[in-house]
Amino acid sequence: MSTETAQEVTIQTATGIALTDVAAVKVAALLAQEGRDDLSLRVAVQPGGCSGLRYQLYFDDRALDGDTISAFGAVKVVTDKMSTPYLMGASIDFVDTIEKQGFTIDNPNAQGSCACGDSFN
């Protein structure tokens, strides 16, 4: 972390969001494909979906005030200060089966989800 920035950033490894080894390998491969080592996987919770909240996962090079950063080897997962409470204890995995391919989030804070699985409450 650079001392030049006046932003408050929390580094978290045990109690925040978790990234499985399979997901970390996939994120690292996607970052290598992008050819950039300055990107983090940002996980956010946004209003929307049929259950009220939905997840957003995307690569980001920004550091926002209040971000929580979890490191998994060379891969960094970043959550903003509003999303962090919703994602405490959540685990991100990557599945690649005949039925489904993509990242999944197992979130103990979700009280329910919609039938399509894209949103939660």
Side-chain angles (χ1 to χ4, degrees):
M1 220 24 62
S2 171
T3 55
E4 301 167 3
T5 146
Q7 297 175 334
E8 177 187 329
V9 175
T10 305
I11 304 287
Q12 207 149 29
T13 54
T15 58
I17 199 163
L19 195 64
T20 67
D21 290 342
V22 173
V25 167
K26 183 62 176 180
V27 171
L30 290 170
L31 287 171
Q33 190 175 9
E34 290 291 321
R36 295 184 58 184
D37 60 0
D38 63 328
L39 298 175
S40 299
L41 176 64
R42 184 169 290 277
V43 183
V45 173
Q46 300 289 325
C50 44
S51 290
L53 298 170
R54 53 179 271 184
Y55 301 110
Q56 287 189 323
L57 282 81
Y58 56 95
F59 292 125
D60 198 0
D61 62 356
R62 300 171 298 153
L64 304 175
D65 189 31
D67 274 353
T68 299
I69 301 171
S70 300
F72 303 91
V75 174
K76 291 185 220 155
V77 177
V78 179
T79 57
D80 63 81
K81 65 183 172 184
M82 298 300 285
S83 299
T84 297
Y86 291 104
L87 296 167
M88 296 300 286
S91 176
I92 299 175
D93 195 8
F94 184 80
V95 295
D96 189 1
T97 67
I98 196 165
E99 296 173 335
K100 183 177 184 179
Q101 181 183 37
F103 290 97
T104 62
I105 299 177
D106 180 20
N107 189 346
N109 302 307
Q111 297 173 2
S113 64
C114 62
C116 65
D118 286 339
S119 65
F120 71 101
N121 60 15

